[in-house]
Amino acid sequence: MARTRPNVVETVSQLRAAVRAFRGEGAKVALVPTMGALHAGHVALVRRAREIAGRTVVSIFVNPTQFGPTEDFSRYPRTFEADLDKLADVGADLVYAPAPGEMYPEGFATRIVVGGPSEGLETDFRPHFFAGVATVVGKLFIHCMPDYALFGEKDYQQLKVVTRLSRDLDLGVQVVGMATVREADGLALSSRNAYLSAAERATAPVIHRSLSAAAAAIRAGGDPAAAVAQAADAIAEAGLKVDYVAARNADTLAALAGPGEPVRLLAAAWLGSTRLIDNIPV
Ligand code: PAF
């Protein structure tokens, strides 16, 4: 039997009243920020949130400020009713779905800019992106004031940026990262996979396959720069346009300085008109 759908609130004051009631029960509160179009990766985040906190809030807001002028804001999938059914099944307690005017009222003029982990990688290709993400995530944290916030490792650089944001602004939110959920053929789950044609969908796992081969080569003692260059070639040979394939320090995302540090491989590439990103540990 389908479970009851979670309550939906649309304003900051309604959200704060609901969270106050949760705290009145003595519950810890976890927030799962999303842009909707929920898939099994989001469901895994909510499931984990329910394990670590008594009450789970899921925000659904397609954030215009993290999309560039030529990006997919208007065609980004919006599946609100199906999202509520998935959240009912996994037992989320509350959905926060603010209207754009609630998040960015007339005259809104503030931006949060995080340095450090936001430098390079995505920023080289989407210079607007992390200020948009940091501003909306900062606002969501301030609106909800959760104990925990959960993010997928699929957006690894984003996870590092929001962790830095919470620490640097003393927001008191413990950011929890969760392993990427993948299809059987390795493709990382993403709301944007819905854009892929059948032929593109068959090609898309080349990113994960190539990163995995590079990770294996590095683990076997190979040079990281050579391994990522080979991965970039393999992805390009499959017909994608590569934005980057990079080996970085897994904690700071800085360039590798020498042997012995934790390494993360990260990639972004266009498959037709769809931009896919992925990353794996070495
Ligand atoms: O990862 C996402 O879905 C978005 O970037 C986030 C964190 C919800 C901010 O809009």
Side-chain angles (χ1 to χ4, degrees), residues 33-35 61 63 66 129 133 136-137 151 155 158:
T34 82
M35 299 204 298
F61 180 68
N63 174 36
Q66 69 190 74
F129 179 64
V133 167
V136 82
V137 170
F151 294 83
D155 295 87
Q158 168 175 278

Side-chain angles (χ1 to χ4, degrees), residues 77 81 83-84 90 106 119 132 142 144 147 149 173 176 189 195 227 237 252 265 268-269:
E81 296 300 318
D83 291 347
L84 292 185
V90 70
E106 192 63 34
E119 284 159 21
I142 291 165
C144 183
D147 300 285
V173 180
V176 178
L189 293 196
Y195 301 151
E237 269 162 33
T252 63
L265 304 182

Side-chain angles (χ1 to χ4, degrees), residues 11-277:
T11 67
V12 180
S13 59
Q14 287 167 342
L15 173 68
R16 287 195 172 141
V19 171
R20 216 175 305 120
F22 293 159
R23 296 224 178 269
E25 301 165 355
K28 297 265 192 202
V29 176
L31 173 68
V32 180
T34 82
M35 299 204 298
L38 303 182
H39 52 63
H42 297 111
V43 169
L45 294 175
V46 176
R47 198 166 284 132
R48 180 76 189 127
R50 295 196 65 218
E51 287 166 5
I52 62 181
R55 292 290 191 172
T56 296
V57 180
V58 177
S59 63
I60 297 181
F61 180 68
V62 185
N63 174 36
T65 65
Q66 69 190 74
F67 291 81
T70 62
E71 291 183 357
D72 57 342
F73 175 69
S74 55
R75 78 163 176 151
Y76 196 83
R78 288 160 171 88
T79 58
F80 192 66
E81 296 300 318
D83 291 347
L84 292 185
D85 286 338
K86 286 181 185 155
L87 294 175
D89 289 342
V90 70
D93 295 292
L94 185 74
V95 169
Y96 177 43
E102 179 76 7
M103 190 61 80
Y104 300 117
E106 192 63 34
F108 187 87
T110 299
R111 261 176 6 130
I112 302 177
V113 177
V114 178
S118 79
E119 284 159 21
L121 301 170
E122 285 300 292
T123 297
D124 289 342
F125 297 89
R126 306 182 68 201
H128 56 279
F129 179 64
F130 285 120
V133 167
T135 303
V136 82
V137 170
K139 292 198 69 168
L140 290 168
F141 283 9
I142 291 165
H143 292 176
C144 183
M145 284 299 186
D147 300 285
Y148 307 99
L150 291 90
F151 294 83
E153 285 186 346
K154 203 220 112 202
D155 295 87
Y156 192 79
Q157 193 177 9
Q158 168 175 278
L159 171 63
K160 295 294 171 190
V161 168
V162 297
T163 302
R164 189 79 260 158
L165 165 75
S166 185
R167 286 191 193 145
D168 286 359
L169 296 187
D170 307 309
L171 296 177
V173 180
Q174 189 182 327
V175 173
V176 178
M178 289 266 307
T180 302
V181 179
R182 298 181 182 281
E183 303 281 6
D185 60 10
L187 177 65
L189 293 196
S190 163
S191 306
R192 290 189 166 100
N193 292 349
Y195 301 151
L196 300 174
S197 69
E200 288 168 343
R201 172 63 190 83
T203 302
V206 69
I207 300 178
H208 179 247
R209 219 169 33 242
S210 305
L211 289 180
S212 301
I218 296 168
R219 275 196 299 271
D223 171 42
V228 295
Q230 201 167 3
D233 286 347
I235 294 167
E237 269 162 33
L240 287 82
K241 187 176 94 46
V242 175
D243 275 354
Y244 60 83
V245 181
R248 293 294 179 92
N249 180 291
D251 296 329
T252 63
L253 292 182
L256 296 181
E261 61 188 314
V263 177
R264 196 95 189 174
L265 304 182
L266 306 99
W270 289 89
L271 182 47
S273 60
T274 304
R275 190 170 183 275
L276 299 174
I277 63 171

